[in-house]
Amino acid sequence: MKATYTIHLWKPSDPNYIALSNYPQIGNEEDYAGGKLVHFQETVSMSTYLTCFIVSDFTYTETFFDNNGTQIPFRVYATPEQLEKTKYAGTVGKKAIEYYINYFDIPYPLPKLDMVAIPDFSSGAMEHWGLVTYRETALLYTPETHSTENKQRVLVVVAHELAHSWFGNLVTMDWWDNLWLNEGFASYIEYKGGHAAEPSFGLMEQFLVSEMHPVLNLDAKLSSHPIIQEVGTPDQITEVFDTISYNKGASILRMLEHTVGEDNFRKGVTNYLNKFKYGNAVTNQLWSEIQDVVGPSINIDEFMGSFTIQMGYPVVEVTVEGDKYMLKQKRFLNNPDDVDKQKPSPLGYKWTIPITYITDKGKSNEVIWFNRSNDNIVIEKPKDIKWLKFNAHQAGYYRVNYPKNMWNQLGSIMNELPISDRTHLLEEAFSIAMSGEISYDIPLELTKYLKNENNYAPWKAASTDLLNIYKLLQSTKYVQQYKNYVINILTPIYNNLSWVIGVDDSHLTKLTRVVVLKLACAMDYDVALKDASNQLDNWFINRTAPPDLREIIYQYGMKTADNAKWEKMFKIFKEETDASEKLKLLRGLTSVNNPSLLTRMLEFSKDETYIRKQDYFTFIVMVSRNPIGLPLVWDYVREHWEALVKRFTLNDRYLGEIFPGITTSFSTKIKLAEMENFFKMYPEAGAGTAARKRALENVRNNIVWLSKYKDTVDKWVLSSSS
C-alpha cells in the first residue's frame, strides 16, 4: 500500500544533532518540549516500508548528480570521525545513479539523496527512498584501511540500493510473493551500475562466481523453493529475503537479457517502469512489457515462467550420434536419490531452455529452443569445428552434461576458452560429479590446467570446489596427498603473485592474490603459513600490513599463536573503531588453536561493547570454521538457544541461518541425529524454517558423498601424486 508522508521530527536542542527523513527539511526548526521540532516536505506516493527518519550527530560529505539537467544534492553521512571514509561511496554513487537515469530513461524522482552509515544495523543496507541506510562495512572506504574486497563491496551495495530507486521504490511488487522483482532486479542491475562507475573492476566476469554459482548449489536441493511462492506471515516474509530471491532472480534476468538482447530488455524494463510508476506490479506484467518489445518470436511468459513458478533447474544431457547432438533434460539434484521425495511441480520439472553454444570459430548467434513440452531436441553439428561447448558464457540458468570423450576434449582446450567458459566448466564438472552423473576424475583432471591460469574467476570457482572436497576429506586417510596435489597446481601462481602487492596490480589481480593465498594457507602449504606468520610478527612490531592481506595474515598467522599474542590482538581489537578492520581482527582471534581462548570469546560475545549485534552471527560462524571451535560452537548454540531466541527473536532470519552456517562440514550420522533431536526439542523455527531443512539436507548429502565418492577422489589423487 502506498501513501504520501509529511514527517515532523523532534530532536535534542544540541546543535550537533541533525534530523533527516526521505524528503528535504522545510522552514525553520521550532522550539518544542525542551528540544527542536523539524518539518519535512510531503513525499511522493510510496510504500510504508520505505519511510525513514534519523536523529543523529553525524556529519556528511556532499556532491551533486545530474538529473536530466537538474543538479540533485547527494550526501553521504557517517559518525564525525569517519567523514573521510564517505568520499568513495559519494564518487561511485554519483556515477551509478547517473548511469541509471540514462539506462532507465526516467529521471530520479526525488529532490535529494542521502546515504547513511549506521554503526549497528541488522540489514546489510536498506533502500529507504531518498535516505538510504547501510552498515558501515557497506558504505565506508579508504585505501589506507580497507581491502580491495571492501572497496568492491561498497561499490556493489551502493549500486544495488540506488537501483531500487526505480525497481522497488518507483514500482513496487504487489505483495511479498513477488519480492524477487525488487531484489533480483537490483542484484542484476548492480553489476551494470557498478561497471559504469568502475569499468576496470571486471564486475561482469565476476557475476558467475559471486551470484550464479552459489545459488545453483542451493537450488539443486529439495529444500529450495520457487522464486514466486505463497507468503502469508511476517516470518515467511522475512524468510524470502534469501539467495533464491536475490541470486536466482539476478541469474534468470541475465539469461533473459542474453536471450532477447540488451536493447529489447532495456526498452521493456523502461516501458514497465513508466506504466506502473508510483504503483504496484507483479511478475507477469514485467514479462508482458518485454513481450511487447520482442514480438511473437519468443513466448516470454512460457520461457521465464518455467524458471519462476517451479524450484530447481534442468541439466541438459548430451549424446552424440554421428553429426548430431541429441539433448534431453531433467531436474538437476545434488543427490539424485532424492528424486522421489521432491514436491510436485506445476510444470513437472520441465523447463523451456534457450540453448546456445560456442565453438573454436566463436559464439553462435542463434538461440535453439528446447521447449518443456519436448522430450528431446536434435542439433546439427556445425561444419569443420574442432570443439563445441553448450551454454556459452554460462548465460543460461541450466547445467550441461556431456559424454566422457567430450568432457576430455573440453578439458584439453581450457586455455582456448573465454574466461567465463573456463569458470563455467570448472564449477559445472565438480557439481555434476557431486550428483554422481560423472566420475570425479573429470573435474579433477580439469584442474590440471590451473597451473597456467592467472585469472580471478576460474581460480575463485576452482578454490570453492577444492575447499569443499577438502572439508569432507579432513579426517580421512589420504587428505595429505589431496593437499599436496592442490599445492602443486597453485604453486606457479603463488610464486608469481606472492605477498607483495605491485603498484600496477589491477583490481582483479589483487582479488586473485587473496584467493590463491587463502587456498595455499588452507591447504597448510608450509611456505604460505611461514609467510603469514612472519607477516604477523612484523605487523605486531610496526602495525602496518597491506589492507588486502590483513585478514589472511591475522587468520593464518594466529593459528599457532600463544596466549600473549592473542591478548595483544584482543587489546587492539577492543580499541579498533573501523568496522571492516574489526571483522578482520575478529577472524584472527577466532582462528587460534586454543579452546580456552575460543570459549572466552564466546562469553565476551554476549557483551555488545565487544561484538556488535549485527556481527554476532558472523562471529559464531567464524568460530565454527576453526576445527577446534566447531564442537564448542555447536554445544554453545544448543545450550544457549533460548537466550539467543530471546535476544534476536525467531523472526530474525540471520538467527535461522546459523544452522546451515555452523553445520556445513558435519558428515556423520551421529551429528545428523544431534541436529534432528535438537530441532524436535525446539520445533518453532520462525524465519529459520527453510534454513533448518537446508542444513539437514546438506549433512545428509555430506554423508552420501563420503560413502559414494571419497574412494574415487582418493584413487585419483594417489595416481596423480605417484
Side-chain angles (χ1 to χ4, degrees), residues 180 183-191 207 211-212 215 227 243-257 265 395 397:
W180 87 277
E183 298 303 348
F185 198 91
S187 297
Y188 180 48
I189 221 77
E190 74 189 40
Y191 282 81
F207 183 90
E211 304 290 330
M212 193 168 181
V215 76
I227 281 183
T243 311
I244 295 293
S245 295
Y246 286 71
N247 301 44
K248 184 174 182 177
S251 299
I252 65 165
L253 286 169
R254 175 173 171 266
M255 171 171 66
L256 175 61
E257 184 184 46
F265 179 77
Y397 191 75

Side-chain angles (χ1 to χ4, degrees), residues 2 106 109 129 164-166 168-172 276-279:
K2 299 198 173 196
I106 296 171
W129 217 356
H164 277 308
S165 289
W166 289 266
N169 298 6
L170 184 64
V171 178
T172 310
F276 297 102
K277 62 186 174 186
Y278 303 109

Side-chain angles (χ1 to χ4, degrees), residues 265-298:
F265 179 77
R266 181 172 162 172
K267 280 178 196 160
V269 164
T270 295
N271 293 348
Y272 164 86
L273 290 171
N274 276 318
K275 188 168 186 177
F276 297 102
K277 62 186 174 186
Y278 303 109
N280 302 77
V282 296
T283 298
N284 288 348
Q285 289 167 321
L286 174 61
W287 300 157
S288 177
E289 294 307 314
I290 295 172
Q291 184 74 68
D292 286 351
V293 173
V294 172
S297 59
I298 302 170

Side-chain angles (χ1 to χ4, degrees), residues 102-391:
N102 179 55
Y103 181 85
F104 296 123
D105 197 20
I106 296 171
Y108 174 73
L110 306 191
K112 62 99 172 171
L113 176 56
D114 299 330
M115 303 197 296
V116 188
I118 296 176
D120 198 347
F121 189 53
S122 62
S123 301
M126 174 60 209
E127 65 271 17
H128 305 110
W129 217 356
L131 184 56
V132 190
T133 47
Y134 298 80
R135 282 191 190 184
E136 291 180 336
T137 52
L139 194 67
L140 304 181
Y141 169 81
T142 55
E144 296 77 30
T145 309
H146 299 104
S147 68
T148 304
E149 285 181 348
N150 295 145
K151 186 178 188 179
Q152 183 169 301
R153 173 156 173 75
V154 170
L155 171 68
V156 295
V157 178
V158 167
H160 178 103
E161 299 308 327
L162 297 186
H164 277 308
S165 289
W166 289 266
F167 242 89
N169 298 6
L170 184 64
V171 178
T172 310
M173 73 267 156
D174 193 53
W175 180 241
W176 301 100
D177 54 357
N178 276 270
L179 172 72
W180 87 277
L181 277 176
N182 282 19
E183 298 303 348
F185 198 91
S187 297
Y188 180 48
I189 221 77
E190 74 189 40
Y191 282 81
K192 292 178 180 289
H195 176 74
E198 292 280 20
S200 67
F201 281 19
L203 283 185
M204 290 322 228
E205 71 181 57
Q206 293 185 54
F207 183 90
L208 296 181
V209 291
S210 300
E211 304 290 330
M212 193 168 181
H213 294 172
V215 76
L216 284 172
N217 178 41
L218 187 150
D219 206 18
K221 294 183 168 80
L222 291 182
S223 50
S224 186
H225 66 83
I227 281 183
I228 299 171
Q229 65 169 6
E230 281 188 29
V231 179
T233 68
D235 283 343
Q236 289 169 345
I237 292 168
T238 304
E239 208 169 36
V240 293
F241 283 84
D242 68 357
T243 311
I244 295 293
S245 295
Y246 286 71
N247 301 44
K248 184 174 182 177
S251 299
I252 65 165
L253 286 169
R254 175 173 171 266
M255 171 171 66
L256 175 61
E257 184 184 46
H258 275 260
T259 305
V260 303
E262 284 184 42
D263 287 345
N264 287 339
F265 179 77
R266 181 172 162 172
K267 280 178 196 160
V269 164
T270 295
N271 293 348
Y272 164 86
L273 290 171
N274 276 318
K275 188 168 186 177
F276 297 102
K277 62 186 174 186
Y278 303 109
N280 302 77
V282 296
T283 298
N284 288 348
Q285 289 167 321
L286 174 61
W287 300 157
S288 177
E289 294 307 314
I290 295 172
Q291 184 74 68
D292 286 351
V293 173
V294 172
S297 59
I298 302 170
N299 186 330
I300 302 291
D301 191 39
E302 183 192 299
F303 160 37
M304 293 302 286
S306 67
F307 287 91
T308 54
I309 66 171
Q310 59 185 347
M311 70 171 98
Y313 57 88
V315 56
V316 173
E317 297 174 312
V318 180
T319 51
V320 183
E321 295 176 9
D323 284 339
K324 292 183 172 62
Y325 297 107
M326 179 85 74
L327 275 53
K328 293 184 176 179
Q329 67 158 295
K330 66 176 182 182
R331 183 184 180 188
F332 180 80
L333 286 167
N334 283 348
N335 181 4
D337 295 345
D338 287 341
V339 71
D340 296 333
K341 301 175 196 163
Q342 63 187 2
K343 294 173 188 165
S345 158
L347 303 178
Y349 294 110
K350 295 288 183 184
W351 289 264
T352 294
I353 311 167
I355 304 291
T356 59
Y357 59 82
I358 185 170
T359 73
D360 53 294
K361 295 190 172 177
K363 182 181 177 295
S364 164
N365 291 323
E366 68 172 329
V367 173
I368 302 150
W369 286 100
F370 190 162
N371 196 286
R372 63 183 172 82
S373 58
N374 296 340
D375 292 332
N376 57 63
I377 59 166
V378 176
I379 295 174
E380 292 282 337
K381 186 176 181 181
K383 284 189 168 54
D384 303 323
I385 58 157
K386 292 174 185 165
W387 53 263
L388 179 144
K389 173 196 166 287
F390 285 108
N391 197 5

Side-chain angles (χ1 to χ4, degrees), residues 487 494 520 523-532:
I487 291 164
Y494 181 91
M523 292 296 136
D524 297 323
Y525 183 28
D526 51 359
V527 175
L529 291 176
K530 192 174 177 187
D531 284 341

Side-chain angles (χ1 to χ4, degrees), residues 6-14 17-20 25-40 55:
T6 310
I7 304 284
H8 310 272
L9 275 184
W10 181 94
K11 72 179 183 71
S13 51
D14 180 337
Y17 276 84
I18 56 166
L20 300 170
Q25 183 177 335
I26 49 169
N28 296 322
E29 297 172 2
E30 297 172 20
D31 291 329
Y32 186 85
K36 297 284 187 181
L37 198 59
V38 184
H39 308 283
F40 296 90
V55 174

